[in-house]
Amino acid sequence: MNSFHDVLLMKHEILLLVSALIILLAELFYPKEKKSGIINFSLILFFGIMVLSFLPTGTGTLFGGSFQSSRLTDIMKDILNLAVFIIFLQSESYLRQSANAGKMGEYFAVILLTMVGMDYMISSGDFLTFFIGLETASIPLAGLAAYDRYKSRSAEAGIKLILLSALSSGVLLFGLSLIYGATGSIYFSDVTPKIISSPIILLGFIFFVSGMAFKISLVPFHLWAADVYEGAPVNITAFLSVVSKGAALFIFTILLFTVFKNIVQLWETVLYALAVLTMTVGNLFALRQDNIKRFLAFSSIAQAGYILLGIMGTGALGMTTMVYFVLIYVFTNLAAFGVAGAISNASGVETISGYKNLYATNPKLSLLMMLSMFSLAGIPPVAGFFGKFFLFTSAGSQGYFILILIAVINATVSLYYYLRVVKSMFIDKSDQPIAFFKSSFPMRISLVICALGIFAVGFLSGIFEYIMSLSAVLF
């Protein structure tokens, strides 16, 4: 790095790291009786960091090509930052509970440090930087899943996540080692022209996809998701479902479209099978769930299957539809998790059957949850409809009409379990419904952001066109 411009290429990572350190230092100076003040301080600080990260800084590479920055990677990081800010707002009332009195600052710091790893992973220019970023993002997630350390389910979620994450990382690393052995380099620019349909390359690629499939929770590497989502706090479940999965999808798509572009016929066949399995299994398991977190876990698995359709479009259209759908997914899924978190904090209810007659006592929350379910199901005119439309368009551009038919059938099946939540809130009666409660101000702000995003991202066509213009530069 030889200029200030070079430093700005890493603005996301530097700002996140500095903000995490500031929060840790600030917590030392808060007196014990005013320790909760670190929550408001962290929210204001991260809002400022998020605004600064939106400022354009150009493109370039650092460290001999190990770090690559482009306008597309910047928009990916900005989407993740926005999601984290919404999650922070939704976490405010949860963190003020007495059980979290001594660990509020570390909640923000660990999430921000996890984000540093995700951002480095997205901007990686070689397999070493990619793997270091992946592990920097993965290891703290186990601690976050076990954040409620005195609850056995939370501790169980942390143990399951760290063990299975280590296994998947080992599988992924073995695949990368095979690719390195076959190509003699870890740099993406050097590896790409040497990726051919040789046995060792194909074996390495299969292990690579298997490791990444765990991070994205694709079938048959999905079984950890429901147990971990159920055991972790609602806000951490939202982080795992949206931010962690979104970051993995971003880098997975980048590597497929760049490093492995010479074997596109192979990975399209693999993704075809994974998409069918993931959509179908995710939907079938979601049908019988009553716990809202397990329900959203299998819903997110099914949504990952739909995203694979967009990736199979390849080229600029495939990249654009994937990024666009993740942006929609941020607002839609965080709206659902926000409502679930608000209800859980106020009443402890975490089951769909417990939402009976919710509309009579909490109509605004019910309407937002309904809006989220409609968007996840792809019902027009909300953003989820446009997201699925472009995913199907992307797959159709490559002639995958049978796959689109399977996806449409699965989307039809998903209507049953999404509308079951709506039915519970608006139609089913209960003698003891959840009492009226007023959410905290930060929670209300987050839910308003999600509601606006669900409509705005779908109707403002310029958003899709802007992402397309950024993707077109890479192809």
Side-chain angles (χ1 to χ4, degrees), residues 279 299 302-303 306-307 309-310 321 324-325 328 373-379 382-395 404 407-408 410-412 414 418:
M279 288 185 295
S299 168
Q303 296 294 330
Y306 295 123
I307 293 176
L309 271 73
T321 54
Y324 181 71
F325 190 84
I328 293 171
M373 294 297 105
F374 282 2
S375 186
L376 286 170
I379 298 175
V382 291
F385 166 76
F386 297 99
K388 280 193 171 64
F389 173 79
F390 285 120
L391 290 177
F392 295 165
T393 301
S394 180
I404 295 174
V408 170
N410 273 284
T412 305
S414 71
Y418 287 128

Side-chain angles (χ1 to χ4, degrees), residues 306-374:
Y306 295 123
I307 293 176
L308 294 184
L309 271 73
I311 297 176
M312 292 179 66
T314 68
L317 179 60
M319 180 68 76
T320 303
T321 54
M322 184 275 300
V323 176
Y324 181 71
F325 190 84
V326 171
L327 176 60
I328 293 171
Y329 187 70
V330 165
F331 293 115
T332 301
N333 231 35
L334 290 184
F337 276 111
V339 174
I343 294 173
S344 177
N345 293 333
S347 65
V349 174
E350 292 186 353
T351 59
I352 296 173
S353 58
Y355 289 0
K356 290 181 179 179
N357 211 25
L358 182 67
Y359 179 72
T361 55
N362 294 274
K364 294 179 181 178
L365 288 179
S366 301
L367 289 171
L368 182 57
M369 180 63 93
M370 180 186 70
L371 184 65
S372 174
M373 294 297 105
F374 282 2

Side-chain angles (χ1 to χ4, degrees), residues 145-146 148-160 227 230-232:
D148 289 335
R149 57 179 178 266
Y150 297 118
K151 294 183 179 179
S152 59
R153 282 189 175 275
S154 185
E156 178 186 350
I159 292 172
K160 285 183 177 179
D227 290 342
E230 182 182 8

Side-chain angles (χ1 to χ4, degrees), residues 93-171:
S93 55
Y94 165 75
L95 291 174
R96 292 190 185 277
Q97 296 176 2
S98 57
N100 301 318
K103 51 179 182 174
M104 292 177 288
E106 67 191 56
Y107 175 87
F108 294 100
V110 172
I111 287 181
L112 293 179
L113 293 175
T114 303
M115 288 294 298
V116 173
M118 292 179 183
D119 286 353
Y120 270 117
M121 179 177 66
I122 292 172
S123 287
S124 57
D126 61 57
F127 284 122
L128 181 60
T129 305
F130 158 71
F131 188 75
I132 292 174
L134 180 67
E135 290 304 289
T136 303
S138 299
I139 294 174
L141 288 177
L144 290 171
Y147 191 76
D148 289 335
R149 57 179 178 266
Y150 297 118
K151 294 183 179 179
S152 59
R153 282 189 175 275
S154 185
E156 178 186 350
I159 292 172
K160 285 183 177 179
L161 185 56
I162 192 65
L163 291 177
L164 293 174
S165 181
L167 175 63
S168 68
S169 295
V171 171

Side-chain angles (χ1 to χ4, degrees), residues 159-187:
I159 292 172
K160 285 183 177 179
L161 185 56
I162 192 65
L163 291 177
L164 293 174
S165 181
L167 175 63
S168 68
S169 295
V171 171
L172 175 63
L173 188 59
F174 182 68
L176 297 183
S177 68
L178 291 176
I179 295 172
Y180 169 69
T183 61
S185 178
I186 60 173
Y187 288 91

Side-chain angles (χ1 to χ4, degrees), residues 435-452:
F436 170 79
F437 65 91
K438 191 173 183 179
S439 303
S440 65
F441 180 72
M443 174 64 81
R444 295 199 300 273
I445 292 296
S446 73
L447 296 180
V448 169
I449 293 173
C450 291
L452 293 176

Side-chain angles (χ1 to χ4, degrees), residues 278-289 298 302 410 413 417:
T278 304
M279 288 185 295
T280 305
V281 173
N283 279 327
L284 291 178
F285 275 80
L287 289 172
R288 56 189 298 271
Q289 302 304 317
F298 284 109
N410 273 284
V413 172
Y417 60 80

